[in-house]
Amino acid sequence: MQITILLTMYIGYAGFMLCLNTLIASSVEMIQDPAVELDKESFGQLMSWHSAGAIAGKLVTGIGADLIGGRRMFLLALSLTALANVGFAFCSSFLFMGIWNFLGQFFKAGGWPAMTKIVGVWYPPRRYGQVWSIISTSSRVGTIAATFLLGFLLSLISWRAVFVFSAVLTGGIVVAAYFFLKESPKSAGLPPLEKDSSDSTEPTSERHRLDELSLGQACIAFTRSGRFWLIGFGIFFLTILMDFINFIPIYLADTLKVDGGRAAMAAAAFPSGMFAALIATSFTYDRLSRRQLVWTLGGLLVLSILSVVVLWNLPRLPIATPLRLYTAMVVIFIMGFAISPAYYVPMSVFAIAFGGKHSGFLVSAIDIFGYSGALLFNFFGGSIAQNYGWPAFLSGLLTIATLACLCMTGFLTLDYRA
């Protein structure tokens, strides 16, 4: 049954990401559509609505998942995310596009806290790293499917029809999840999950030390933790690096002079790198000591810094023009590979172990750091690219990559010492 639950969450979260990435895959076509009147600056502002919706959604859905349970929140969030894509498809004004984009991200925000509750009751702590690594690959599968499948569809149908297509496909996933996703072993007619002595989590008793606290008291406990602040700001900067994918098709089209379809498909290198890294992480994360995680994840984040340096200097590298697109894809693949393990897994493992019954809210609170960074990046990033060019954009991204490395390494060090 654990495999069924994992597979259902996997496919369901891929549906979330399919809806999310429909806008990114369609970005070039939308900018080229005279009826829409978008440019790089206004596209960045549109994506800032996206981030604002995610922040508002995390405030509501994190608490909601703790109150109504993971299954209900997962099904509700996935259904409404699909409906928001339909609403976006019929918009022409920037204002209504922003509103529907806001709503889509508001609803999507419920996916991760819902899964946090489900994982906490269905899997033992010794498998958290493996389970979260596998689930995280679903976001990359959704992104890869969006960039390839939707990039191909954009050559056949309008970008509006592509939004409807992704919504209908996600609706089918909701129907399947309704029958296969169970709230807990008890709801599936199975005995409760048994803990064994090999499970190493922070609480040593059956009741978590925060389970008797109200949400307000738990928040005070969170804010007194240095690990909470370090992982919060680490996710703040890592989410900005992750949101670089929003601009990759436009960056490739501008810098390498390729059409929108090729740029969208080439952008799949980023989620492909993330997918490969998360597959490797699923086999290794739980086998590494916390000290080894400091060096492993810290080293990968240094590699992400070097990737940004190469992209910054790509137009000046002595590479033949036909090879520049392939070179960019390799570097973008490496960048995705380097970022994803630190972005996805430590936050989720920490939230379950440290948050107890408030784990849904804790993972949402950490995510709010990330989406706050994404909001600022998308709003100002598009303006910087539009008015100052891609070199200025990438120089700022280099600073962000360095700060992400410092914060996450600091968190992992404190986690090891704890």
Side-chain angles (χ1 to χ4, degrees):
M1 192 65 193
Q2 286 180 326
I3 294 176
T4 301
I5 297 298
L6 182 60
L7 184 61
T8 305
M9 288 191 295
Y10 190 98
I11 297 174
Y13 203 74
F16 278 115
M17 297 307 295
L18 179 66
C19 288
L20 166 68
N21 285 283
T22 306
L23 176 58
I24 300 168
S26 304
S27 59
V28 176
E29 299 297 328
M30 291 175 62
I31 289 174
Q32 294 174 353
D33 185 349
V36 179
E37 298 182 352
L38 281 179
D39 57 19
K40 289 187 286 292
E41 182 174 5
S42 56
F43 177 76
Q45 293 170 353
L46 182 62
M47 293 304 297
S48 69
W49 284 73
H50 161 121
S51 303
I55 293 170
K58 290 295 180 183
L59 291 170
V60 175
T61 60
I63 299 173
D66 289 332
L67 292 175
I68 69 173
R71 178 181 181 273
R72 289 191 185 95
M73 178 55 65
F74 192 84
L75 294 173
L76 180 64
L78 189 57
S79 302
L80 295 176
T81 300
L83 288 175
N85 257 33
V86 176
F88 190 97
F90 293 97
C91 291
S92 294
S93 72
F94 180 84
L95 174 62
F96 284 104
M97 283 184 174
I99 291 172
W100 279 108
N101 197 23
F102 177 96
L103 291 174
Q105 296 316 299
F106 183 97
F107 301 138
K108 177 191 170 292
W112 207 262
M115 292 190 297
T116 300
K117 304 303 295 184
I118 296 169
V119 170
V121 298
W122 272 103
Y123 303 94
R126 69 179 182 278
R127 294 184 58 196
Y128 284 168
Q130 181 185 47
V131 170
W132 281 116
S133 296
I134 293 172
I135 290 175
S136 298
T137 64
S138 71
S139 71
R140 299 307 96 206
V141 168
T143 302
I144 294 169
T147 49
F148 274 110
L149 175 61
L150 303 182
F152 170 73
L153 288 175
L154 284 166
S155 65
L156 304 176
I157 58 179
S158 71
W159 64 265
R160 296 181 189 277
V162 167
F163 271 86
V164 174
F165 172 85
S166 64
V168 171
L169 186 58
T170 303
I173 295 174
V174 173
V175 173
Y178 178 84
F179 293 101
F180 290 104
L181 188 63
K182 305 297 181 182
E183 181 70 39
S184 65
K186 182 180 179 180
S187 65
L190 299 172
L193 181 69
E194 293 184 2
K195 308 288 185 182
D196 62 48
S197 59
S198 65
D199 291 341
S200 57
T201 59
E202 293 194 13
T204 55
S205 61
E206 187 173 342
R207 292 289 293 173
H208 192 281
R209 64 187 180 86
L210 298 185
D211 282 355
E212 302 302 324
L213 301 184
S214 67
L215 179 60
Q217 292 171 324
C219 287
I220 294 173
F222 298 154
T223 57
R224 289 177 176 172
S225 169
R227 284 181 290 170
F228 170 78
W229 291 106
L230 277 173
I231 196 168
F233 281 106
I235 295 297
F236 177 94
F237 295 118
L238 281 173
T239 305
I240 293 176
L241 293 179
M242 291 282 292
D243 267 29
F244 175 51
I245 192 174
N246 298 340
F247 292 94
I248 288 177
I250 306 172
Y251 164 75
L252 293 175
D254 283 356
T255 305
L256 304 180
K257 310 302 179 187
V258 296
D259 61 70
R262 289 185 67 197
M265 288 189 284
F270 191 85
S272 297
M274 300 179 74
F275 180 83
L278 289 168
I279 289 294
T281 303
S282 70
F283 291 104
T284 58
Y285 192 93
D286 294 316
R287 299 174 184 271
L288 296 175
S289 68
R290 295 191 178 188
R291 182 178 181 180
Q292 290 171 325
L293 286 172
V294 175
W295 291 102
T296 303
L297 299 185
L300 286 173
L301 291 175
V302 170
L303 187 59
S304 73
I305 296 172
L306 297 177
S307 300
V308 177
V309 171
V310 175
L311 290 175
W312 186 13
N313 292 279
L314 184 62
R316 296 182 291 275
L317 294 178
I319 302 172
T321 301
L323 298 178
R324 287 186 184 274
L325 179 60
Y326 299 105
T327 302
M329 290 174 64
V330 170
V331 176
I332 291 169
F333 177 94
I334 293 172
M335 185 176 174
F337 186 96
I339 293 170
S340 59
Y343 177 79
Y344 282 109
V345 184
M347 171 182 69
S348 303
V349 173
F350 174 70
I352 296 176
F354 192 74
K357 77 172 186 179
H358 303 288
S359 59
F361 177 79
L362 178 55
V363 79
S364 294
I366 297 170
D367 255 346
I368 287 172
F369 279 89
Y371 284 111
S372 298
L375 189 154
L376 294 172
F377 171 69
N378 286 313
F379 187 85
F380 293 105
S383 179
I384 291 170
Q386 179 73 27
N387 299 310
Y388 301 99
W390 291 109
F393 178 97
L394 290 167
S395 66
L397 201 66
L398 178 61
T399 302
I400 297 301
T402 303
L403 291 171
C405 181
L406 292 174
C407 289
M408 285 304 299
T409 303
F411 163 77
L412 292 166
T413 301
L414 283 186
D415 204 46
Y416 155 62
R417 292 177 178 174

